Amino acid sequence: MAGRRKRAKSPEEPKERRLSSRVQELRQKERDEKEQLARERVKFLSDQSSELCDDAKEDDVSTNEGTLITMRNGNDNNLDFYGSEEDPHLKVRRNLRFFNTQYLLMVQGKMSRPDLKGVMKANAVLYPRKMIGDLPGIDVGHRFFSRAEMVAVGFHSHWLNGIDYMGAAEYQRDYAAYQFPLAVSIVMSGQYEDDLDNADVVTYTGQGGHNLTGDKRQFKDQELVRGNLGLKNCFEHGVSVRVIRGHNCKSSYSKRVYTYDGLYTVVKYWAEKGVSGFTVYKYQLKRKEGQPELTTNQVNFMYGRIPKSTSEIQGLVCEDISNGLESKRIPATNRFTYINSLKIEPNVKIPKSSAGCNCRGGCTDSKKCACARLNGGNFPYVDLNDGRLIEPRDVVFECGPNCGCGPECVNRTSQKRLRFHLEVFRSPKKGWAVRSWDFIPAGSPVCEYIGVLRRTDDVDTLTDNDYIFEIDCQQTMQGLDGRQRRLGDVAVPTDNKASESNGDESVPEFCIDAGSTGNFARFINHSCEPNLFVQCVLSSHQDIKLARVVLFAADNIPPLQELTYDYGYTLDSVHGPDGKVKKLTCYCGAVNCRKRLY
C-alpha cells in the first residue's frame, strides 16, 4: 500500500528553511492534486461524450415524455447495457457493485475523494447520456447511499449541484424542439434555507449564491443561468424532472441516503428576496399522478417503520433468540438451541493454530505482514465502517490467535462482534426470514454460518434437514461442478495435512449442520438474485476444507430489506430416499428466478 513519501532533507540546509520549504512543497502538492483531479474529471466526462458520439452504434430509445432520444453505446468492462436483453434492475445492481469495488480499492489506497476516483477508475457510467424521465432499472423508492452512486449510474451527474441538466452542445440535435439548458433531475437535501417540502408539492430553491460551509445561508444573488434556467425551460416545455430526496442517516456509510421519489412537473417559477435578503429563484413542482406511492416523506422512511424496541413487534414471543450471546438482540419465535460459535463433532479434528504475523497493534503494511502475503500481497479488507471486504475471493486469510496484532485489526473484520440490528420474521411464502433495521454497507460481514461442524458422510442419511451447509472452499477454488471462480490471487499453504481427504475430491468433506443447533444465519433464505454472498475465511488455521463460512453484503442494503444468499443448488441434484429426484419450488420473487431451488 503506497504511502506519502517524505522529501529528503539536506544536512547543510538551515532548520527554518527546511520547515518552510517542506510546507511550501506540501501545499503545492495539494494544489497540484486538486487541479489534476479537476482535469481528470473534465477529461473523464469529455471522453464519455466523445466516445459515444464518434465510435458507438446509435439506437433510438423512446423516453416517457414521448420524445425520441438517440442513445449510444460507450461502455467497456462488460457493462454495455443498452442493447442487452438483461433485466435493467440487474444492470443497475451490477454497475453499483462494480463501482463499490473500485471505491473500496481507492479507500484502501488512501486516495483523496475515493468516491470521485472510484467512478473515474471504473470508467463505466451505466447511462452516460442524460435522459428525460425515468431511467430503466431505477424505480420509485430506489435508494442511493451516496452522490457518487448516482453519478456512477448516470441518474444525477453532478457531485455537488442540486440540479442536473442537459446542455445545448450535446443534446440540441436530439431535442431540436426544446430550449436549452433543460433540467433532468434535482436533489432536495435541505441545503437551502428557502426550501419547502410538502411531499406531493414542493418549493425548490434554485442553485447559486449558497454558503458551502453548511449553514445554508445565501451570500449573493442567484442568476437565471445553467440549472436555474434549465428548470425554467422545463416549465416552458412541460418537461418532467426526477426528484431525489437526501436525508441524514447515521448507519449509512456516507452518513446520507438519497431516495428517488418520482417525476415532478414544474408548475410555476418566480424570483424573490430570500431569508438572507438576496435574490433567489423559486420553483414549485407537483408530483405526477399515477406513480407508486411516495417512499419518503421529508426525512422519514415510509417503506415500513423501523421498530424502536422489541415491544413494538407484533406477534413477538421471544425478545432475543441469542439469550444475550450476541451484542444486539435478535427477536423471533422458534424452538432451537442458539449458539454463536461452532460446535465440533468428536470425529472432526481441528488443525493446530498456524503461525501468525509479527505486526503490532494493527496490520497496516502489506509488504511486511505475513497474512497479507497469504492474500496475494494485499489486505482483503479496507478500514472503513469497521471493516469492509473489497471483493469476493476464493478464500480470505485473516489474522489469528498467533498474530501480534490486536482484536481491532482490520484483517480480523469477520471475527468482530455483530454490528447490525437484525430481526427474524415470518415471511408470506418462505417461512422464517431475516432482515436488518440498519443500513448495511456493501462488503460488510453480516454473520458467520454457525452450527455443528460434522463430516459430510455423517449427514448423508439425514432426511428433512435443510440447514446443512457444505464447506466447498476447495471445490470453488478448483471450479468443480460449475462453481464460479473468484479472485484467486492467494497463497494456500501446501504443508498442512491436518485433514486428509477420505473420498471424492469433488465432494466437500465437511459441513455445518444447523438443523437443531445454530445461530440466526439458518433463517436467511435463498434468492436467485441475492444481496449477500458466501465467503470462506481462514483465521485460526489454514486448512481450506475447514474454512469458516461467512456471509457478506454484496450490495448496500437498506433497512427492512430481506437478507438473502444463493444456496447454490444444481437442478436435479437432490434425491430422496427412493433415489428419485426431489424438486422444490423457488419463491424468491426475483426477476430472473430459476423457478426451482433444486
Side-chain angles (χ1 to χ4, degrees):
M1 195 158 47
R4 291 186 179 181
R5 293 182 179 179
K6 294 186 178 181
R7 183 179 65 90
K9 297 181 180 180
S10 170
E12 293 83 11
E13 194 174 23
K15 180 177 180 181
E16 292 78 12
R17 183 180 178 184
R18 288 201 303 268
L19 180 60
S20 175
S21 177
R22 175 166 173 74
V23 170
Q24 291 180 16
E25 179 181 328
L26 291 175
R27 289 180 177 176
Q28 182 61 44
K29 183 177 180 181
E30 183 178 358
R31 287 194 295 268
D32 292 344
E33 186 181 59
K34 289 181 179 179
E35 292 176 0
Q36 179 63 23
L37 191 61
R39 287 194 295 268
E40 288 177 355
R41 182 175 186 272
V42 171
K43 182 177 183 299
F44 166 68
L45 295 175
S46 176
D47 289 347
Q48 287 282 343
S49 299
S50 61
E51 287 176 9
L52 291 172
C53 293
D54 298 336
D55 303 327
K57 179 180 179 181
E58 299 186 355
D59 301 305
D60 286 336
V61 179
S62 178
T63 69
N64 69 344
E65 300 294 333
T67 305
L68 286 179
I69 174 172
T70 303
M71 303 300 298
R72 301 171 179 85
N73 298 332
N75 279 321
D76 296 320
N77 303 314
N78 296 319
L79 291 172
D80 180 16
F81 295 138
Y82 293 116
S84 171
E85 295 181 359
E86 185 182 9
D87 178 77
H89 297 86
L90 295 181
K91 300 174 187 176
V92 171
R93 176 178 290 185
R94 184 195 300 172
N95 177 268
L96 289 174
R97 287 184 180 179
F98 185 64
F99 159 74
N100 274 299
T101 296
Q102 300 304 316
Y103 165 69
L104 293 177
L105 286 170
M106 296 300 105
V107 172
Q108 186 183 55
K110 299 187 182 300
M111 300 289 185
S112 60
R113 286 307 304 268
D115 51 352
L116 174 59
K117 290 184 177 177
V119 174
M120 293 191 295
K121 180 71 173 177
N123 195 28
V125 176
L126 180 57
Y127 298 114
R129 292 283 291 178
K130 297 180 182 181
M131 299 170 60
I132 295 174
D134 291 317
L135 266 62
I138 304 176
D139 301 328
V140 171
H142 185 101
R143 280 162 281 187
F144 297 92
F145 288 74
S146 67
R147 285 242 187 180
E149 287 192 355
M150 291 192 286
V151 174
V153 173
F155 195 69
H156 187 88
S157 300
H158 283 284
W159 298 87
L160 295 174
N161 294 343
I163 307 173
D164 190 11
Y165 59 90
M166 297 175 171
E170 292 184 79
Y171 296 94
Q172 185 71 65
R173 185 184 66 177
D174 301 325
Y175 297 94
Y178 292 146
Q179 290 179 301
F180 286 86
L182 201 63
V184 292
S185 63
I186 63 172
V187 176
M188 298 194 65
S189 54
Q191 291 301 308
Y192 284 86
E193 57 193 351
D194 297 283
D195 281 348
L196 179 62
D197 189 349
N198 293 318
D200 285 329
V201 178
V202 301
T203 300
Y204 184 78
T205 305
Q207 64 187 24
H210 177 240
N211 190 339
L212 296 178
T213 59
D215 62 7
K216 306 179 183 179
R217 308 289 292 182
Q218 292 290 132
F219 67 92
K220 67 177 181 179
D221 294 336
Q222 291 184 350
E223 300 179 11
L224 193 61
V225 295
R226 295 183 291 276
N228 295 339
L229 182 58
L231 283 174
K232 178 256 187 187
N233 288 335
C234 285
F235 167 76
E236 299 289 350
H237 295 289
V239 173
S240 299
V241 297
R242 300 185 293 273
V243 171
I244 305 110
R245 285 179 169 86
H247 311 295
N248 292 327
C249 179
K250 293 181 180 179
S251 56
S252 169
Y253 75 92
S254 68
K255 306 303 179 186
R256 300 281 290 175
V257 64
Y258 299 87
T259 306
Y260 176 43
D261 274 344
L263 297 175
Y264 284 66
T265 302
V266 182
V267 295
K268 65 177 180 179
Y269 75 97
W270 67 96
E272 65 177 39
K273 292 294 182 181
V275 175
S276 297
F278 297 97
T279 299
V280 295
Y281 282 91
K282 297 289 195 70
Y283 304 86
Q284 188 177 90
L285 296 93
K286 184 176 181 180
R287 196 168 191 265
K288 296 183 69 174
E289 297 181 356
Q291 299 184 91
E293 184 179 354
L294 277 174
T295 57
T296 57
N297 181 3
Q298 296 190 21
V299 298
N300 297 315
F301 281 105
M302 302 302 292
Y303 243 62
R305 194 173 66 83
I306 300 173
K308 295 181 179 179
S309 67
T310 54
S311 62
E312 296 182 359
I313 301 176
Q314 296 182 357
L316 177 69
V317 175
C318 177
E319 288 193 354
D320 183 10
I321 59 175
S322 74
N323 294 317
L325 288 175
E326 300 289 2
S327 59
K328 309 291 185 183
R329 289 183 177 181
I330 305 172
T333 301
N334 202 13
R335 293 181 179 179
F336 80 112
T337 302
Y338 195 97
I339 57 176
N340 65 351
S341 61
L342 285 174
K343 182 178 179 181
I344 313 299
E345 284 284 89
N347 64 342
V348 177
K349 303 302 179 184
I350 301 297
K352 64 179 182 179
S353 298
S354 55
C357 63
N358 296 320
C359 304
R360 290 291 179 264
C363 298
T364 57
D365 191 340
S366 59
K367 294 181 180 179
K368 296 181 180 180
C369 179
C371 297
R373 288 195 291 271
L374 290 173
N375 287 298
N378 265 310
F379 294 114
Y381 299 107
V382 61
D383 194 4
L384 185 69
N385 307 116
D386 206 23
R388 292 167 64 179
L389 184 65
I390 297 175
E391 56 189 324
R393 291 168 170 254
D394 279 345
V395 62
V396 167
F397 290 91
E398 289 191 342
C399 294
N402 290 332
C403 291
C405 57
E408 297 304 315
C409 173
V410 70
N411 203 41
R412 298 178 185 268
T413 290
S414 75
Q415 303 171 45
K416 299 177 183 179
R417 66 180 185 175
L418 181 67
R419 63 179 74 176
F420 306 110
H421 289 87
L422 302 177
E423 174 192 353
V424 178
F425 69 100
R426 191 75 177 177
S427 64
K429 292 184 177 181
K430 297 181 288 184
W432 294 111
V434 180
R435 60 190 174 193
S436 171
W437 294 359
D438 301 318
F439 282 93
I440 302 178
S444 298
V446 174
C447 63
E448 182 177 353
Y449 195 92
I450 296 295
V452 181
L453 184 58
R454 311 178 66 176
R455 289 189 174 274
T456 307
D457 291 345
D458 296 340
V459 300
D460 284 344
T461 58
L462 297 181
T463 59
D464 299 325
N465 185 351
D466 295 325
Y467 301 100
I468 296 174
F469 201 118
E470 295 181 335
I471 304 175
D472 63 350
C473 180
Q474 179 175 341
Q475 288 72 27
T476 298
M477 294 177 68
Q478 295 173 354
L480 299 177
D481 296 333
R483 291 175 174 86
Q484 184 177 1
R485 292 297 307 275
R486 296 178 173 182
L487 181 64
D489 189 15
V490 295
V492 180
T494 58
D495 58 348
N496 196 322
K497 303 296 183 181
S499 61
E500 296 290 348
S501 176
N502 295 326
D504 189 354
E505 285 290 329
S506 65
V507 179
E509 188 175 350
F510 300 97
C511 65
I512 301 170
D513 179 6
S516 59
T517 303
N519 69 344
F520 65 89
R522 74 191 293 276
F523 298 112
I524 300 178
N525 285 318
H526 162 85
S527 175
C528 297
E529 296 171 10
N531 52 19
L532 305 178
F533 65 88
V534 177
Q535 178 64 63
C536 289
V537 177
L538 291 171
S539 52
S540 62
H541 59 80
Q542 296 175 351
D543 190 341
I544 59 175
K545 297 177 184 178
L546 291 166
R548 296 167 51 230
V549 176
V550 183
L551 297 174
F552 284 81
D555 307 306
N556 291 313
I557 305 173
L560 304 182
Q561 182 181 98
E562 184 186 350
L563 303 179
T564 59
Y565 67 96
D566 191 336
Y567 284 5
Y569 283 108
T570 301
L571 292 183
D572 300 331
S573 64
V574 179
H575 297 79
D578 57 0
K580 294 183 179 180
V581 173
K582 294 180 65 176
K583 297 181 180 181
L584 183 65
T585 302
C586 180
Y587 294 102
C588 73
V591 175
N592 288 341
C593 177
R594 297 188 288 269
K595 307 306 180 184
R596 284 173 54 192
L597 183 57
Y598 52 75

